[in-house]
Amino acid sequence: MKFLRYMSSGRVLNGVKHAKLSEQSVLVKEGINPRQKILEDSFGRKHTYLRISLTERCNLRCLYCMPEEGIELSPSNELLTASEIERISKVFLSYGVDKIRLTGGEPLVRKDFDDIMQRIGAYKRDPRYNLKTIAITTNGITLKKKLKTLVDSGLSAVNISLDTLVPQKFELITRRRGHERVIDAIDACLDANFGPVKVNCVLMRGVNDDELLDFCRMTEHKDLDIRFIEYMPFDGNRWSDKKFMSYAEAMEKITAEFGALSKVVDDKNDTSKHYKISGFAGRIGFITSMTSHFCGTCNRLRMTADGNLKVCLFGSSEVSLRDMLRDGATDDELGEVVEAAIYQKYYALGGNQDMYDIASRKNRPMITIGG
């Protein structure tokens, strides 16, 4: 396998192909429907969800994502082009991926975003593949004015990041203005019947934990999923356990105010533990990566804007699919290296033990990984 040299730091292949590599190569050569192929790791987890970061740029500077001093952006020629994103998407779709999420940075600041959406949207209409969902994660600043075009291109799910309901605090957290535009974007998505619209809130003690109950009240009359995310350590975000609020502590405060919550039955690969407050239209959820990880049912893969495959958010291992593409790799060769990387995936937290272990290890800043 001449392209094994693109495996980077972390766990390294010994040049040994597991049985599935040769089996799936036969499938390709025999022209069998690509949906019969799967991306499976050594723990039997099937990976059907690809998150593609389109850019390292963002029009906000959120405390938990962007280092205060900013980052050194990759040169534009090192980022995946629209045609490369399309080709990589096709390879993953041929291995059974049925959900693609476009992230950043802020994906909507990329100038050719509409072109990328149209290219990926075409696969949703292609009977050779099983693409069910095209989603974006966005800060919502420019979403409202672009929403109709995105829906026409095939967009079917939206996550909007919002960490405060107080305009002045929004400027402190994001180091930019735009709170009203985010609220307007949430309402526009509700009007477009995306339901439920997911709102992601990174919970930080001393920053926005005093708004926990106010966020819950947003679900009273609106079909929103308010998802509280445990604060995670990444390079440059000055993570501290003093700012960390656990899922258990947040639940205690919520139930003290609203009474016992009803547990919603989650889908197999959900990252969020969902609950309903009695009589409320929407739901609240908790993404508990640090205190109660969901690695056992992980089906997610990430492509960075500069073309590296990360099989785990918290792992340092990466594979450069960009360099393979530019060196003339075939789809089969790309697929085999992807399979090999996934088969090397750790069971939990990228091989780390807990949040303190993660904080002590080198990883990218969140903004260069993709939300």
Side-chain angles (χ1 to χ4, degrees), residues 133-198:
T133 303
I134 303 175
I136 62 170
T137 294
T138 173
N139 60 35
I141 294 292
T142 63
L143 177 60
K144 183 179 178 180
K145 65 181 181 181
K146 298 182 178 183
L147 190 57
K148 184 181 184 304
T149 301
L150 299 180
V151 172
D152 291 344
S153 298
L155 182 69
S156 50
V158 176
N159 288 11
I160 299 176
S161 299
L162 180 65
D163 302 305
T164 179
L165 302 176
V166 181
Q168 294 82 2
K169 193 186 292 185
F170 181 89
E171 292 184 34
L172 292 174
I173 293 174
T174 68
R175 307 183 181 108
R176 295 292 186 273
R177 296 181 180 178
H179 183 268
E180 183 177 348
R181 280 183 282 172
V182 180
I183 297 298
D184 288 346
I186 292 171
D187 289 336
C189 289
L190 287 170
D191 291 341
N193 295 317
F194 271 107
V197 176
K198 296 179 180 178

Side-chain angles (χ1 to χ4, degrees), residues 39-51 267-271 289 293-302 310-314 342 345-350:
L39 294 171
E40 186 173 348
D41 66 18
S42 61
F43 302 98
R45 295 174 295 196
K46 298 175 176 61
H47 294 72
T48 58
Y49 180 6
L50 176 64
R51 302 169 70 97
D267 292 336
K268 176 184 176 182
N269 301 116
D270 273 344
T271 59
S289 305
H293 67 72
F294 32 83
C295 300
T297 57
C298 181
N299 69 335
R300 292 166 299 287
L301 303 166
R302 285 176 166 82
K310 284 180 74 75
V311 297
C312 178
L313 176 63
F314 301 114
I342 292 170
K345 184 174 181 175
Y346 285 100
Y347 179 73
L349 301 178

Side-chain angles (χ1 to χ4, degrees), residues 35 121-131:
R35 276 180 278 177
Y123 288 121
K124 201 174 181 182
R125 301 183 294 274
D126 190 328
R128 293 174 298 173
Y129 305 103
N130 192 33
L131 180 56

